Amino acid sequence: TSKIDNGIELLGATTFTYRSNKAWFVTIKAGSADFTGGVSGSPMPASVISYRLNGTAVPYKPLSNIEQSLLASSGSKNARGIGTQSIDFQIDPGYNYPPAQNYSLQVIYTISNL
């Protein structure tokens, strides 16, 4: 029950490697507003997952099906180059959603130079 009470923190849950000869940025979004696989009538929203860049002390941000800046932005891009970045997740559904056999949610990362 401590995981239900306190949530689950996954440090370095996702890692991506980039290689770009142009300035770039990365966005993140959920594939839908709610998880699939839940109990009908009680959808669990994507926002039970929060994210941040690994190695930072910034607060977690709730995941949404609306694209959000993850690493830089279209107005403030990263310099070209090669590197690796990890993402931390915190999952905290609490007691608000009924248990299900198989919840799933797609997380979409987009790297762009536009």
Side-chain angles (χ1 to χ4, degrees):
T1 62
S2 67
K3 290 181 180 179
I4 294 174
D5 291 335
N6 302 316
I8 300 168
E9 186 175 44
L10 302 168
L11 300 177
T14 299
T15 300
F16 60 87
T17 300
Y18 57 87
R19 181 181 300 242
S20 180
N21 63 353
K22 293 187 176 186
W24 57 276
F25 64 99
V26 176
T27 59
I28 185 173
K29 72 176 186 174
S32 61
D34 300 316
F35 282 78
T36 61
V39 176
S40 180
S42 296
M44 185 165 60
S47 61
V48 302
I49 297 178
S50 297
Y51 66 92
R52 71 176 180 195
L53 295 177
N54 179 265
T56 64
V58 298
Y60 283 92
K61 296 178 186 176
L63 187 63
S64 165
N65 65 327
I66 298 169
E67 201 168 63
Q68 302 171 64
S69 293
L70 177 63
L71 194 54
S73 68
S74 62
S76 178
K77 298 175 185 166
N78 291 302
R80 63 183 178 265
I82 300 170
T84 300
Q85 179 64 57
S86 294
I87 311 301
D88 299 336
F89 287 111
Q90 186 173 37
I91 304 163
D92 192 5
Y95 293 93
N96 298 322
Y97 308 99
Q101 295 264 335
N102 189 15
Y103 279 112
S104 67
L105 181 73
Q106 182 182 31
V107 178
I108 301 167
Y109 302 93
T110 303
I111 186 168
S112 179
N113 68 341
L114 302 177

